[in-house]
Amino acid sequence: MKKTIYFIVALVFTMSVFSACTETVVPVPEISLSSSSAGVTVSSDGTSAEIILPAAGASAELAVSSNWNWDISEASGNWCAAEISSEGIIFSASSNSTAEARNVYFTITASNTTGSVSARVTVQQPSDAAGSSDAPEVILQGDDTEITIPEEGGTYRVEVNCEDGWKVTSDDSWITITVDDAGFSISAERNTTYSPLSGTVVVTSGSSTIEETVTVPVHQFSSVKAMVIEMTVGQESDYTVVLPFDNTTGVVNCLVDWGDGNIERVVQPYPMHRYGQEGVYDVKITGKVSSFRANQQPECDPSRLDCITAIKAWGNIGLESLKRGFYICESLKWIASPDEGSFDLLTTVYECFNGCSSLDSIPERLFADLPQLESAYATFSGCSSLKKVPAGLFSGCSGVTTFFRLFWRCVSITEVAPDIFDGCVAAENFGQTFYQDSSLVALPENLFASCVAADGFANTFNGCAVLETVPENIFPQNDTEASMSSVFANCISLESVPAGLFAPLAGATNFNSAFLNCVSLRTVPVSIFDNNRAVTNFGRTFSGCTALEGESPYTEIDGTVYHLYERDGHTDFAQVRTTADCFMGCTGLDDYGTIEESYPEWL
């Protein structure tokens, strides 16, 4: 039996908003059938239906209403196609040229932990072996019994013989018919919907007293690609997996091929599936799933999430939110590059891969050129196996406002591409972006250069214990009140920094703990804060920098030298309100004695 899916409908679910620790209420499954198609009879209680298709071939649609995910299985025969549509199921068959009538029945089933319900559909078709002298002879290509248009669009040629003349029509707007002397052509544009299209063309004799017709099914598969998730299943999860579909902020209306021969229509969040044996399965998702969220309990039990080992294709499923999409999927090792259009609607990757401790690589330009993306908060936080930040990762994401904790505690990163934030002109907060990335030795030039709105760099590189090299042009040109608190704190391998490091940030006000405990820092250019005259907080800026030598930073104005501790009372500088521990332990400074004697509040 051929099984295809049609998903244009937008479902609206009325559900209570639940928190991450609230148990979802599971309804008792219900199924109800209805139809307005000719030849369809539905029982009064809506639990069964009988369909009689014409001998010449035709289609009939049966509407299926259910409050739970449902599937259809064929119990006998293989001549009738059952295609899941926006309303339910389309049953279709070509001409019955056999000597006998045909019969088949299908079972529609919905089940969950509260119970199971099913509906039976019987389809019949009389024989057309004798034919009719008045009926048109419709000749398809080769052994075809139906017309199939490629997903990218195309044309299909049909020949027609009929002594009485003939005409051809279709009620399906996506089908274009072009008639010539010997037959007609069927054509369609590229199918960019989320599902296959199904329709019919009807060829009718022209001059007989009683018109004879031949109905031919027409199909076109969707050009929209499936999302493919690899599941590695074993005893640890009781052979049970979960897909983190979330419909509290979006729509779930899709077909899931579980990779073991079971295909299910899914309209509820967090569908689960139990496999018969351990193994690796490719789960394919087609249709509409606008939101993934993997921190829902109890559905997203850690043992079930651990079955997710790869995202092999993103497909085109209408993703709008990946907020905590694969949160703490600790066995997820690799992810594919997006297909064309995969993320066209995506607005957030907030903590999307947070805690994915096995993820060791990500593709270049994974989230590039997505102007509608708004938040990248902690997207890869805790990805402790990640070794490299690839080129163009968020390049062109002009709407993202925060990259806070983006690579927080990604302890294996050794390399960062220079263009990962290119064009991120709305990004403001880079706090803790590379916090405790203890394998990062050097930083690329111009890393934040195009992020002209950025004013939050608190703890950005705090704890980068092997960081040795910082380029002069790493920060953007920005005159707003920026915070550089703890920006290089605990970078214990950093020995020197360039003179113009902070020059672009003329509006910076807070350098509290900027170089806290940088125990290898031997020299700091005296001019490092020349362009930072709005600073009000130098508390603990060099605290614990016990190797620091030379004179402490100062700014020369009209031949007069002003150290940090000499700024107060001068109109060229803001009043420094926080000074405690600024030079604590910096006993190797040439002017440490002066500070100790005359400016003890800076120690």
Side-chain angles (χ1 to χ4, degrees):
M1 183 192 77
K2 180 180 67 177
K3 188 182 240 182
T4 53
I5 309 301
Y6 181 53
F7 287 122
I8 297 179
V9 65
L11 298 183
V12 178
F13 296 98
T14 304
M15 298 181 64
S16 299
V17 177
F18 48 81
S19 67
C21 58
T22 302
E23 185 172 353
T24 305
V25 176
V26 179
V28 176
E30 298 176 355
I31 290 179
S32 179
L33 308 179
S34 62
S35 179
S36 59
S37 295
V40 180
T41 303
V42 179
S43 65
S44 59
D45 60 2
T47 61
S48 64
E50 294 185 356
I51 300 174
I52 300 177
L53 297 176
S59 297
E61 185 165 17
L62 189 66
V64 180
S65 176
S66 179
N67 63 345
W68 199 254
N69 308 329
W70 57 267
D71 194 11
I72 180 170
S73 60
E74 180 185 25
S76 60
N78 60 7
W79 54 271
C80 182
E83 304 173 23
I84 300 177
S85 70
S86 60
E87 298 297 330
I89 306 168
I90 296 176
F91 298 89
S92 59
S94 57
S95 174
N96 181 12
S97 58
T98 67
E100 299 181 354
R102 302 191 288 200
N103 296 273
V104 65
Y105 69 88
F106 299 84
T107 302
I108 305 167
T109 304
S111 61
N112 58 33
T113 56
T114 66
S116 179
V117 65
S118 63
R120 178 175 168 131
V121 180
T122 303
V123 184
Q124 304 175 33
Q125 185 184 33
S127 172
D128 193 32
S132 169
S133 59
D134 295 324
E137 181 187 12
V138 177
I139 304 171
L140 304 183
Q141 299 175 17
D143 295 328
D144 290 351
T145 58
E146 60 185 27
I147 297 171
T148 301
I149 304 294
E151 59 190 38
E152 67 271 14
T155 300
Y156 188 101
R157 168 78 183 153
V158 181
E159 293 185 5
V160 179
N161 296 322
C162 187
E163 294 181 358
D164 295 331
W166 55 274
K167 63 180 180 180
V168 58
T169 59
S170 177
D171 292 331
D172 299 288
S173 59
W174 60 275
I175 294 174
T176 299
I177 302 173
T178 304
V179 178
D180 55 53
D181 292 339
F184 61 92
S185 296
I186 297 294
S187 60
E189 300 294 329
R190 183 181 185 91
N191 180 10
T192 58
T193 68
Y194 288 113
S195 55
L197 297 173
S198 297
T200 57
V201 292
V202 179
V203 183
T204 307
S205 62
S207 59
S208 60
T209 304
I210 300 176
E211 290 186 333
E212 297 290 341
T213 64
V214 175
T215 301
V216 183
V218 183
H219 303 285
Q220 184 184 25
F221 292 105
S222 172
S223 64
V224 177
K225 296 182 178 180
M227 185 177 188
V228 182
I229 298 178
E230 179 186 271
M231 297 283 190
T232 302
V233 180
Q235 188 175 0
E236 294 79 4
S237 67
D238 191 30
Y239 310 99
T240 301
V241 301
V242 63
L243 289 171
F245 297 168
D246 173 36
N247 71 347
T248 58
T249 58
V251 172
V252 176
N253 185 3
C254 67
L255 183 75
V256 176
D257 182 342
W258 293 103
D260 61 350
N262 288 288
I263 300 174
E264 181 182 11
R265 182 181 178 182
V266 172
V267 296
Q268 289 289 335
Y270 304 102
M272 284 178 276
H273 182 71
R274 193 175 192 275
Y275 290 90
Q277 60 185 13
E278 66 180 27
V280 180
Y281 300 89
D282 283 348
V283 178
K284 298 179 181 179
I285 304 158
T286 53
K288 177 76 171 181
V289 182
S290 59
S291 178
F292 275 60
R293 186 164 183 156
N295 68 326
Q296 171 69 25
Q297 293 294 336
E299 291 87 348
C300 293
D301 181 270
S303 65
R304 295 170 186 159
L305 290 179
D306 281 349
C307 295
I308 299 175
T309 49
I311 301 172
K312 301 178 76 170
W314 289 97
N316 299 105
I317 61 171
L319 279 171
E320 298 174 19
S321 173
L322 282 173
K323 182 175 182 179
R324 299 193 176 109
F326 295 92
Y327 186 81
I328 315 185
C329 292
E330 293 186 342
S331 297
L332 177 63
K333 188 171 183 180
W334 70 274
I335 53 182
S337 298
D339 296 297
E340 183 179 356
S342 291
F343 299 145
D344 283 356
L345 304 176
L346 193 62
T347 62
T348 178
V349 288
Y350 182 107
E351 292 191 320
C352 178
F353 300 105
N354 189 341
C356 294
S357 55
S358 297
L359 186 64
D360 57 12
S361 65
I362 47 181
E364 293 185 356
R365 301 183 61 80
L366 176 62
F367 296 120
D369 298 324
L370 303 178
Q372 75 284 355
L373 194 66
E374 297 172 356
S375 176
Y377 176 98
T379 304
F380 299 99
S381 181
C383 292
S384 54
S385 297
L386 190 62
K387 298 176 179 61
K388 178 182 177 181
V389 181
L393 183 59
F394 287 97
S395 178
C397 291
S398 57
V400 174
T401 59
T402 181
F403 288 102
F404 185 81
R405 285 193 172 185
L406 180 64
F407 296 106
W408 184 80
R409 291 185 173 173
C410 293
V411 296
S412 299
I413 289 178
T414 60
E415 183 180 347
V416 177
D419 63 346
I420 61 173
F421 300 123
D422 280 7
C424 296
V425 294
E428 299 172 354
N429 193 348
F430 287 92
Q432 302 186 33
T433 297
F434 297 95
Y435 182 87
Q436 290 190 1
D437 289 3
S438 54
S439 298
L440 189 59
V441 176
L443 301 177
E445 295 186 355
N446 299 307
L447 181 58
F448 306 112
S450 68
C451 305
V452 293
D455 56 12
F457 291 98
N459 295 283
T460 300
F461 302 103
N462 189 340
C464 292
V466 297
L467 184 65
E468 297 175 354
T469 305
V470 178
E472 185 172 65
N473 54 2
I474 189 174
F475 295 114
Q477 198 77 34
N478 191 337
D479 294 336
T480 61
E481 295 184 6
S483 174
M484 310 302 292
S485 174
S486 300
V487 60
F488 294 107
N490 301 300
C491 291
I492 59 176
S493 298
L494 192 63
E495 295 184 3
S496 63
V497 291
L501 179 61
F502 300 125
L505 301 166
T509 60
N510 185 356
F511 282 89
N512 191 295
S513 303
F515 296 101
L516 174 69
N517 294 330
C518 290
V519 294
S520 298
L521 189 62
R522 293 184 296 104
T523 61
V524 174
V526 294
S527 61
I528 190 171
F529 297 118
D530 273 9
N531 204 40
N532 308 115
R533 305 187 182 189
V535 182
T536 60
N537 189 339
F538 277 118
R540 304 206 303 173
T541 300
F542 296 103
S543 180
C545 295
T546 54
L548 199 58
E549 301 173 344
E551 194 162 1
S552 70
Y554 63 76
T555 301
E556 185 175 340
I557 301 176
D558 297 331
T560 302
V561 169
Y562 299 96
H563 293 84
L564 301 185
Y565 48 81
E566 296 172 325
R567 287 189 173 196
D568 278 2
H570 298 277
T571 57
D572 288 304
F573 304 103
Q575 181 181 356
V576 182
R577 297 185 179 91
T578 304
T579 63
D581 299 331
C582 179
F583 297 106
M584 187 176 72
C586 303
T587 57
L589 286 174
D590 294 347
D591 53 338
Y592 184 81
T594 300
I595 302 171
E596 188 175 36
E597 180 179 347
S598 303
Y599 302 95
E601 67 274 15
W602 287 75
L603 295 177

